[in-house]
Amino acid sequence: MATDAGPGRIPGRIPGRIPVPSPADRRVPELDPALVAEWRAGGGEPIDLFTLARERLGGIAALDLASGSAPAVLVTAPQAVQHVLAFRPDRYVKRSHRARLLIGDGVLAATGDAWQRQRRLLQSQFTGPGMRRYEGRITGAARIAAARWAGYARTGGVFDLGDEMRRFALDTIWRSLTGHPLDPATERELGAVAHVVAELPTLPADGGAARGAVAAELARIDAVASRAIEAARDGTAGPDGPGLLHVLLDAAGTHPEYTDRLVRDELVTLLVAGHETTATTLTWLHLLLDRNPWAREQALAAGPEGSPERRQAVQALVHETLRLYPSAWMLPRSAARDDVLCGYRIEAGTDVLVCPYLTHRDPGVWEDPGRFDPARFTEPGRRPAHPGSYLPFGMGPRACLGLRFALLESTVLLEHLLPARAPRLRSVPEGAAYSITVRPDGPTPATLG
């Protein structure tokens, strides 16, 4: 867990070290196979190997992840990150998505023309006018969460922080999708989403076997999606009015590719992307505030309730949490054609792993990167200028559609919860689990009494 300390700036900081390629050999430097073998024999986590490669070789490094296969290229240097994700997205493409068995052909997994059509449809829902439509729904979910916390404070009951953050985030996205508050039965059934997401790293490589391992959970998710789609198709709008699901069904009237299956896939994609990442970020944020209580006090002291100053301070808490635990901690790509990346030759077919998690923790990019310091995002000159230095939701054309939604959602909840009593953690997780998101690897029991 990060610790607290104060500001400061290192002059002349070089944003991410990139090894200088030899004029005679512009191959990406590869991590010593003996080190990879040692890591493999020790059963280490991939992030351990990635960290070692970055430390030994810099912001562009090759490593043999699967013995006998072509080395993958790890990219963490900001300028290389920007090249892959923003400047050359046509050369570094998504091949598949780890969660495809869950989200199907939803926008996160779609590629090519299908992806462009699907993203275009959803894009308008997450711009300024679209966001105003959902702010009231976010506030409604935040008030319900605040009322639950008031109950915990009265009774002194123990609750799990992670579970509470998931309840809030799931209620928010369900209201935004359907116009209805989340009811207890739907909440129970959608617990299957978190189960499948947690199981993804350990599922068999074979698609059929993987699907079979979580078949019961997928069936529960499909049943919820089917009921929601039928209710929306019947014209049943919730108390908050039509939601994103109605937008998808309206599209089906003019775009034949929006079959019931694709509508289901988009619905589940938005459910996963709209609550899993936000819930994880908010859980980490509370764990960080438990270690750094001064940060909560500073945010509340920044200005009165409802003031721009307090909102900016609260948003800085969110941004600093996202720096340490980005929603998109790993962005895998495949080189569709030969390319030159910051002077290094990348051959077609190479797996390229962009790792925002390590970019955000690179001491050549961020000052004292292991320290929790929200002032990086409020004090001028504290945040690195290069756009590839901070990308918690990715960057370029495939950056997360819901960036503004997630930031607003987190900010609104914290504005409701921070002025109340701070949670007291009875125990804290020892580390992190790396799946679709980086999440705490254990329960987070807490009290407010």
Side-chain angles (χ1 to χ4, degrees), residues 170-259:
L170 192 56
D171 187 16
T172 298
I173 192 61
W174 191 252
R175 290 168 184 255
S176 302
L177 286 166
T178 68
H180 291 274
L182 184 68
D183 60 273
T186 300
E187 181 184 353
R188 284 194 300 272
E189 291 304 293
L190 288 178
V193 172
H195 177 84
V196 174
V197 169
E199 290 295 313
L200 285 174
T202 62
L203 291 177
D206 176 75
R211 183 172 293 276
V214 289
E217 288 77 15
L218 292 176
R220 290 168 59 193
I221 295 166
D222 285 347
V224 172
S226 178
R227 288 194 296 270
I229 290 168
E230 288 308 310
R233 181 174 283 126
D234 290 343
T236 306
D240 292 328
L244 274 165
L245 183 52
H246 295 81
V247 173
L248 295 172
L249 289 174
D250 288 345
T254 54
H255 297 78
E257 63 270 19
Y258 276 87
T259 62

Side-chain angles (χ1 to χ4, degrees), residues 84 87-93 334 336-337 397:
V84 171
F87 293 161
R88 296 288 187 271
D90 57 328
R91 295 191 185 183
Y92 298 93
V93 300
S334 178
R337 302 197 299 274

Side-chain angles (χ1 to χ4, degrees), residues 346-362:
I346 304 293
E347 296 181 355
T350 300
D351 289 328
V352 177
L353 306 174
V354 178
C355 188
Y357 181 89
L358 290 180
T359 300
H360 294 178
R361 292 168 177 261
D362 188 338

Side-chain angles (χ1 to χ4, degrees), residues 7 10 39 56 66 114 164 166 169 180 197 223 235 241 245 308 377 395 413-414 422 441:
I10 298 177
W39 164 81
R56 293 292 183 97
E164 276 296 303
R166 277 188 290 276
H180 291 274
V197 169
L245 183 52
F377 294 93
M395 69 183 305
L413 179 67
L414 291 170
D441 68 352

Side-chain angles (χ1 to χ4, degrees), residues 386-409:
H386 196 286
S389 300
Y390 180 66
L391 60 156
F393 295 92
M395 69 183 305
R398 291 205 70 122
C400 177
L401 274 168
L403 164 63
R404 294 179 64 179
F405 186 97
L407 291 176
L408 178 63
E409 181 182 11

